[in-house]
Amino acid sequence: MAGLRVRHRKTLALDSLDLTLGTGVHGLLGPNGAGKTSLIRVLATVARPDAGRVELLGEDIAGRRGRAGVRRRLGYLPQEFGYYPGFTVREFVAYMAWLKEVPAARVPAAVERAVARVGLGDRAGARIRTLSGGMVRRVGIAQAIVNDPALLLLDEPTAGLDPEQRVEFRELLRELGATATVVVSTHLVEDVAAACTGVTLLDGGRIAYRGTPKALSLLGETSGGPGDHPIERGYTAALRAHRAPGAREAV
């Protein structure tokens, strides 16, 4: 993407953003209002930018045909996702597979595999309304991966997951990132440190830092700033450097 600009009324959510992402797990960090969800929504083709060019999976999403082509190869979990509480887990994930145009003959196996990968194989026949919040979140992850997406977008996917489930989810992310482009928007920097191959830190709609989790941790080790973990200190140091007087003009 190049020159990406998104405006919400009078607020500039993304300001002339240039970003290229390849295969791997990419962590998207930033404070509230940094533009993370705005970026995820554009990548998911549910929101259109006010300016700039976005190419996903070789398709320019400015046109209807390009967006349709991308959506068949896309997996998306928003912060708040809609579902039918009366559906079973299996029925809902199968319905989402149908919406994504997964061939009918492949749907049953795809559904069982997706549900098993998020640890809900024993609850596949349960009504969604009977599940805990963490389980519902895992249903959301299952529907996002049921079509084996080439581009997977996850907005705060670990919300509601307990520590054991988060560890299992990180393992799944690493597995998915071996063959797909995975973008994870999160406030939990420890998830980024454990599972991501790259990290992009947004602040005020612009990129404050881009690099590897290891490099961000090293920045934290030398900064001496606040935080319980080097990557947390690196996060704070990168934000402060980006916000320093004259920093934006120097970019």
Side-chain angles (χ1 to χ4, degrees):
M1 68 193 75
L4 183 63
R5 178 170 293 187
V6 174
R7 184 178 294 277
H8 299 313
R9 298 182 181 176
K10 295 182 179 181
T11 301
L12 192 58
L14 294 173
D15 184 6
S16 302
L17 199 69
D18 297 330
L19 188 61
T20 300
L21 300 172
T23 301
V25 184
H26 304 274
L28 192 60
L29 294 173
N32 290 334
K36 302 186 301 296
T37 293
S38 295
L39 176 57
I40 290 282
R41 284 174 55 81
V42 169
L43 295 177
T45 73
V46 298
R48 296 191 185 185
D50 294 285
R53 185 175 186 273
V54 181
E55 184 177 291
L56 301 175
L57 306 175
E59 301 278 2
D60 187 337
I61 65 170
R64 182 181 301 175
R65 186 172 182 177
R67 289 194 298 274
V70 167
R71 285 169 182 166
R72 285 190 288 270
R73 304 169 61 197
L74 177 73
Y76 174 43
L77 174 65
Q79 287 190 42
E80 303 287 341
F81 79 99
Y83 58 88
Y84 298 100
F87 276 27
T88 66
V89 173
R90 183 179 289 112
E91 288 169 344
F92 177 71
V93 178
Y95 173 64
M96 296 303 295
W98 174 74
L99 288 180
K100 297 177 183 186
E101 301 182 18
V102 175
R106 289 176 44 203
V107 167
V111 169
E112 296 305 318
R113 182 167 182 258
V115 171
R117 291 175 94 181
V118 299
L120 289 176
D122 61 339
R123 302 303 301 272
R127 304 286 176 188
I128 297 179
R129 65 168 171 257
T130 68
L131 303 180
S132 67
M135 287 182 179
V136 171
R137 200 65 182 161
R138 285 189 278 164
V139 173
I141 297 169
Q143 64 80 26
I145 65 175
V146 69
N147 59 329
D148 288 324
L151 174 61
L152 177 61
L153 308 168
L154 303 169
D155 198 352
E156 299 292 347
T158 57
L161 301 187
D162 63 35
E164 181 182 10
Q165 291 164 355
R166 284 173 54 202
V167 170
E168 293 170 350
F169 175 68
R170 292 169 189 167
E171 293 176 357
L172 176 59
L173 281 184
R174 288 190 286 266
E175 177 187 334
L176 294 168
T179 57
T181 299
V182 182
V183 182
V184 184
S185 173
T186 181
H187 284 93
L188 301 174
V189 293
E190 58 267 36
D191 284 345
V192 171
C196 295
T197 53
V199 56
T200 300
L201 172 57
L202 294 182
D203 185 41
R206 302 185 71 186
I207 294 176
Y209 174 89
R210 250 203 109 192
T212 65
K214 182 178 180 180
L216 190 58
S217 293
L218 288 173
L219 178 63
E221 290 175 359
T222 59
S223 71
D228 296 325
H229 188 282
I231 198 169
E232 292 180 339
R233 293 193 288 272
Y235 171 92
T236 301
L239 282 179
R240 288 178 175 176
H242 181 251
R243 295 169 178 172
R248 293 197 173 195
E249 289 76 8
V251 174

